[in-house]
Amino acid sequence: MRAALLLEEHDELVVDQVEVAAPTGSEVLVRTAASGLCHSDLHFMETDGWDVERPVVLGHEAAGVVEAVGPDVREVQPGDHVICCLSVFCGRCEVCLGGQPYLCVRSRVECVRTAEEPPRLSRGGQEVYQFAHLSSFAEEMLVHENALVKIRPDMPLDRAALIGCGVTTGTGAVFRTTEVGPGSTVAVIGCGGVGMSAVQAARIAGATAIIAVDLESRKLDTALRLGATHAVNPADGDPVAQVMELTSGGVDYSFEAIGLALTAQQAFAMIRRGGTATVMGMIPPGTKVQIEGQELFMSEKRLQGSLMGSNVFRVDMPRLVDLYLDGRLMLDEMVSATITLDDVNDGFAAMKAGDVVRSVIAFN
Ligand code: ZN
Ligand code: ZN
């Protein structure tokens, strides 16, 4: 099959032939229909504090059709439409049983192949690493069954792919990590795929003020179409001061979708007394976020993280599919470009230029 590889010596991806093994045990072979380009992939390409073993096939936001299953698979059968998720879970450990399967680490041992088994992916006899247990920049994905969920067949797969990471991360941060409800006031910093999904989730949850914050005016325009009630551009002045003025004292909930210390600090600064700031962005290892400690108890402000939207993706993703198909979750508007696998580097160049919310690779 063809796949986009990140090799030892390159920053750009190289499209080449990669061998994929046949499914064993609880593995499922999925023919990839579509894969979104997520900013996290770019972090690992640029090694800006993040690192990944190479050679590796990146990509982790995908949907497709089951081609073949291992003998122990119970969840799906060939022909089923599925969304893949990097939050692979073992289903038996304390966090899984406690309702937080996205925090499972036992899956990293239980849901992968052992060193004695042949690798899932290889090239010329050499192992190719699987990124996020998925590697979706490839015509086929060989994954554990606990890394996917079956969805209704009338869901377009090029839209379903977005739910695989960005949409689940952004909506889950609102629906699961926080208690945003009718009448809440919300600010979202960073209007890429994750931030735009948080904006939409805030609208669906009934927030009355939804303030989108981004340096790109085109993204702000899109955010206003997707449910934001106000747009704040930091180029026009301190975004915290602008949010304070719009809300007379700060929002109930803020969401940071960039992964910078500065924007995490701004997210904390723009919540009201008793408010909650939630960081969804990938702040690089070693980076310190500084806040005024007194505000934790004198103002009872909270700063918290949200990993992959605190998802229970087997439950959440089919619901998000329903929300799309009944018109409340707007995914078409988030797809800026549909590209081929060979255009993957151009897609990341457009992401770096700030031109796009989401580019999606469509496979034939
Ligand atoms: Zn992602
Ligand atoms: Zn577990």
Side-chain angles (χ1 to χ4, degrees), residues 89-93 95-96 104 106:
F89 59 94
C90 80
R92 295 187 290 125
C93 73
V95 293
C96 280
C104 178
R106 206 158 93 175

Side-chain angles (χ1 to χ4, degrees), residues 281-349:
M282 288 173 66
I283 296 178
T287 302
K288 302 282 186 284
V289 175
Q290 290 196 306
I291 56 170
E292 187 66 54
Q294 195 184 34
E295 295 190 17
L296 293 172
F297 72 96
M298 286 299 286
S299 304
E300 207 182 58
K301 289 168 68 170
R302 283 186 290 176
L303 176 64
Q304 64 178 3
S306 174
L307 174 64
M308 283 295 292
S310 311
N311 73 76
V312 183
F313 75 83
R314 285 263 177 88
V315 174
D316 301 347
M317 289 185 177
R319 290 180 180 176
L320 292 168
V321 165
D322 288 343
L323 285 169
Y324 168 76
L325 289 173
D326 79 7
R328 276 181 286 178
L329 180 64
M330 295 150 78
L331 301 180
D332 302 354
E333 293 76 1
M334 286 175 52
V335 177
S336 314
T338 302
I339 62 176
T340 67
L341 183 62
D342 293 293
D343 296 329
V344 64
N345 289 310
D346 294 339
F348 281 111

Side-chain angles (χ1 to χ4, degrees), residues 192-206:
V194 170
M196 220 64 99
S197 301
V199 165
Q200 295 206 56
R203 163 175 52 76
I204 294 166

Side-chain angles (χ1 to χ4, degrees), residues 112-119 127:
V112 299
R113 289 194 168 187
T114 64
E116 290 73 47
E117 292 175 282
E127 173 164 12

Side-chain angles (χ1 to χ4, degrees), residues 102-340:
Y102 60 98
L103 293 177
C104 178
V105 291
R106 206 158 93 175
S107 60
R108 295 177 196 167
V109 178
E110 295 203 352
C111 301
V112 299
R113 289 194 168 187
T114 64
E116 290 73 47
E117 292 175 282
R120 286 177 178 165
L121 302 177
S122 60
R123 178 169 172 256
Q126 184 196 9
E127 173 164 12
V128 171
Y129 292 100
Q130 197 174 32
F131 181 63
H133 310 290
L134 298 177
S135 286
S136 65
F137 294 160
E139 291 173 331
E140 292 173 297
M141 298 175 281
L142 181 61
V143 305
H144 192 278
E145 69 173 326
N146 287 0
L148 49 76
V149 57
K150 180 179 172 176
I151 56 167
R152 40 194 280 202
D154 54 336
M155 177 67 185
L157 290 170
D158 60 342
R159 298 298 182 256
L162 300 189
I163 293 174
C165 177
V167 170
T168 291
T169 299
T171 57
V174 172
F175 294 147
R176 284 205 180 268
T177 317
T178 68
E179 301 82 40
V180 173
S184 295
T185 56
V186 171
V188 178
I189 304 176
C191 292
V194 170
M196 220 64 99
S197 301
V199 165
Q200 295 206 56
R203 163 175 52 76
I204 294 166
T208 46
I210 305 169
I211 304 168
V213 184
D214 202 289
L215 280 163
E216 297 284 335
S217 55
R218 270 173 305 173
K219 286 184 181 170
L220 291 174
D221 291 341
T222 306
L224 289 168
R225 283 202 298 279
L226 296 184
T229 57
H230 302 80
V232 162
N233 193 328
D236 300 333
D238 178 19
V240 175
Q242 293 188 64
V243 169
M244 287 295 177
E245 194 173 315
L246 284 169
T247 54
S248 52
V251 289
D252 301 326
Y253 299 95
S254 65
F255 296 89
E256 195 276 351
I258 301 174
L260 295 173
L262 172 68
T263 42
Q265 287 155 194
Q266 289 171 341
F268 186 73
M270 64 176 61
I271 50 175
R272 65 161 172 80
R273 287 167 60 81
T276 300
T278 302
V279 173
M280 308 181 286
M282 288 173 66
I283 296 178
T287 302
K288 302 282 186 284
V289 175
Q290 290 196 306
I291 56 170
E292 187 66 54
Q294 195 184 34
E295 295 190 17
L296 293 172
F297 72 96
M298 286 299 286
S299 304
E300 207 182 58
K301 289 168 68 170
R302 283 186 290 176
L303 176 64
Q304 64 178 3
S306 174
L307 174 64
M308 283 295 292
S310 311
N311 73 76
V312 183
F313 75 83
R314 285 263 177 88
V315 174
D316 301 347
M317 289 185 177
R319 290 180 180 176
L320 292 168
V321 165
D322 288 343
L323 285 169
Y324 168 76
L325 289 173
D326 79 7
R328 276 181 286 178
L329 180 64
M330 295 150 78
L331 301 180
D332 302 354
E333 293 76 1
M334 286 175 52
V335 177
S336 314
T338 302
I339 62 176
T340 67

